[in-house]
Amino acid sequence: MPTVVVMDVSLSMTRPVSIEGSEEYQRKHLAAHGLTMLFEHMATNYKLEFTALVVFSSLWELMVPFTRDYNTLQEALSNMDDYDKTCLESALVGVCNIIQQEWGGAIPCQVVLVTDGCLGIGRGSLRHSLATQNQRSESNRFPLPFPFPSKLYIMCMANLEELQSTDSLEYLERLIDLNNGEGQIFTIDGPLCLKNVQSMFGKLIDLAYTPFHAVLKCGHLTADVQVFPRPEPFVVDEEIDPIPKVINTDLEIVGFIDIADISSPPVLSRHLVLPIALNKEGDEVGTGITDDNEDENSANQIAGKIPNFCVLLHGSLKVEGMVAIVQLGPEWHGMLYSQADSKKKSNLMMSLFEPGPEPLPWLGKMAQLGPISDAKENPYGEDDNKSPFPLQPKNKRSYAQNVTVWIKPSGLQTDVQKILRNARKLPEKTQTFYKELNRLRKAALAFGFLDLLKGVADMLERECTLLPETAHPDAAFQLTHAAQQLKLASTGTCEYAAYDQNITPLHTDFSGSSTERM
């Protein structure tokens, strides 16, 4: 996920730090040393990460836009000037604008804030910002929480005792709380020195920037892979005591399925799957990522000559038009597939489904899927002209039924008029008349609209009195019968107002066949 490094360049960062046996350092020098360590780690292990550098004091400035060139980021660290007072709010507003312009509001991002813990003074200080947080309009709201998924890591160029003595730690913790608890504060353990700064940034690397290595398995075939970006733990909301679920480092392929059958399923996240080539001694040669560096090119050339199952799988899925179902953990699955970046370039991707026995309803339960050879007959047909998916649900979906809806008066008026039109064409339209009548009756009972039943009953009685002399005798009997049944239902008594009960046509001497009447 993209990273924004926010560097404090206010005057307080120029405070000297005495280190025995060496020249005098400033806090900004310690911060630059720690960030250099972070950038070197990312250049080696997180080459696909996009990173931007922002500096701030009372204003903010984008020093380096999102890039994968970590040499540019390191050069920018040595070209930073010193400015005036600290204003954390303006920096957070700047970060919010930069990320939304570049990535929108759906991509998870990480924000690394490097500061000495000074909150600023007067208007614009963190104390003032948090004190006036609830007194603002929507257009001038405090930037936290960010309007996109994020984690805020605060790297303090101070030890814990110093922060507690100035109550800065309390305000910095409130920033994490405002970001929905997503993030962490790091402080220097012991005196301020290069070794302890390295240790602090090492903790950040272990937490957020450690590459995720796994073993991809399919039967006897295996391959060492790196999954990028690192999959985040997933917490199931429905559980009483939610426990974060973490994917296994052994990714076992349990089967293959056509792309058309799996369609475009909902997923939690998408990740690149990169092969890690190993030489005969078991040392890593490369991750299959190209780089301009000559050493990297030579390493990739060596890696390209070593057979790798990950490459075989990628090519097979691409040619056959299939996806591989992979087991991520107990009752947790995902899929491996080939995704094209352009006409000539494609990547092996992995998407994570939601945990559960049935993440995709149209496939049914994952545990019940099996090979075609186990079926009595080929479910795809001899000519591969049909598919067993999607599975039809046992229960009829509520949204798939013909439900009566009266949002507007015109809808109710249309249904009543339909009943009256059929009433005037009795006995030819007897079946249609009772079908529409029962549909209206059920809807009225469901909504508790009992007055409607009485009103329609009165209309039917009036239609009965207006029947012409040439009307069929059975029409009068059916209208009177229907009106009586509606009146009984309008009383609301259980005997006559049962929802599942239907009004059936009245059997008369006129409703039989012409032979029977003769």
Side-chain angles (χ1 to χ4, degrees), residues 411-484:
L412 174 58
Q413 183 180 1
T414 300
D415 288 344
V416 174
Q417 288 176 341
K418 195 182 297 184
I419 292 173
L420 295 179
R421 282 198 304 271
N422 288 314
R424 292 170 188 140
K425 296 179 182 179
L426 290 173
E428 291 82 3
K429 295 286 186 178
T430 299
Q431 296 302 323
T432 308
F433 169 74
Y434 279 100
K435 177 184 175 182
E436 295 297 330
L437 189 70
N438 283 314
R439 189 168 71 88
L440 180 136
R441 175 184 176 276
K442 284 190 173 184
L445 291 174
F447 298 145
F449 199 174
L450 301 181
D451 290 341
L452 173 63
L453 299 178
K454 190 174 184 306
V456 174
D458 294 339
M459 290 182 185
L460 295 180
E461 288 180 343
R462 182 174 179 274
E463 287 295 323
C464 186
T465 61
L466 297 177
L467 288 173
E469 294 180 358
T470 56
H472 195 284
D474 193 38
F477 287 108
Q478 298 297 343
L479 288 175
T480 304
H481 168 67
Q484 289 175 348

Side-chain angles (χ1 to χ4, degrees), residues 327-401:
Q327 181 96 30
L328 306 176
E331 290 193 341
W332 195 4
H333 295 82
M335 66 176 181
L336 293 166
Y337 57 97
S338 174
Q339 184 177 47
D341 284 346
S342 60
K343 291 183 178 179
K344 295 184 179 180
K345 185 180 179 182
S346 61
N347 299 296
L348 183 62
M349 302 287 293
M350 180 172 70
S351 293
L352 311 186
F353 302 146
E354 282 203 15
E358 194 174 355
L360 308 179
W362 60 91
L363 296 184
K365 293 184 177 180
M366 287 291 183
Q368 295 179 355
L369 295 177
I372 295 178
S373 58
D374 287 354
K376 294 180 179 179
E377 59 181 26
N378 191 342
Y380 289 92
E382 295 181 0
D383 300 329
D384 200 23
N385 56 358
K386 63 179 183 177
S387 172
F389 305 107
L391 297 179
Q392 295 300 320
K394 296 180 180 178
N395 299 324
K396 195 173 183 182
R397 307 297 184 189
S398 61
Y399 49 79
Q401 301 181 34

Side-chain angles (χ1 to χ4, degrees), residues 136-153:
R136 307 185 183 197
S137 61
E138 184 63 27
S139 59
N140 191 33
R141 62 179 290 273
F142 192 72
L144 293 179
F146 289 122
F148 46 83
S150 66
K151 291 190 176 181
L152 175 61
Y153 299 110

Side-chain angles (χ1 to χ4, degrees), residues 13-31:
M13 287 288 286
T14 63
R15 287 181 292 167
V17 177
S18 59
I19 300 177
E20 295 182 2
S22 64
E23 59 181 290
E24 189 177 83
Y25 280 88
Q26 297 177 356
R27 296 186 187 232
K28 69 175 184 179
H29 296 144
L30 296 180

Side-chain angles (χ1 to χ4, degrees), residues 246-260:
V246 182
I247 74 171
N248 295 337
T249 53
D250 288 337
L251 305 176
E252 185 172 358
I253 295 174
V254 295
F256 300 87
I257 192 169
D258 286 340
I259 290 179

Side-chain angles (χ1 to χ4, degrees), residues 42-114:
M42 295 173 72
T44 305
N45 300 286
Y46 255 62
K47 298 177 182 179
L48 297 179
E49 183 77 283
F50 281 98
T51 306
L53 178 62
V54 174
V55 297
F56 77 97
S57 55
S58 59
L59 301 174
W60 63 273
E61 178 186 357
L62 178 61
M63 290 282 289
V64 181
F66 284 101
T67 181
R68 289 173 173 166
D69 186 357
Y70 289 96
N71 291 328
T72 304
L73 290 165
Q74 293 186 49
E75 290 174 4
L77 289 177
S78 59
N79 296 328
M80 293 184 299
D81 296 324
D82 302 325
Y83 292 93
D84 50 1
K85 68 174 186 176
T86 304
C87 183
L88 275 170
E89 181 178 353
S90 69
L92 296 175
V93 170
V95 169
C96 187
N97 294 336
I98 292 168
I99 291 178
Q100 284 189 299
Q101 289 175 7
E102 187 75 22
W103 303 100
I107 303 297
C109 298
Q110 299 188 123
V111 179
V112 179
L113 173 61
V114 183

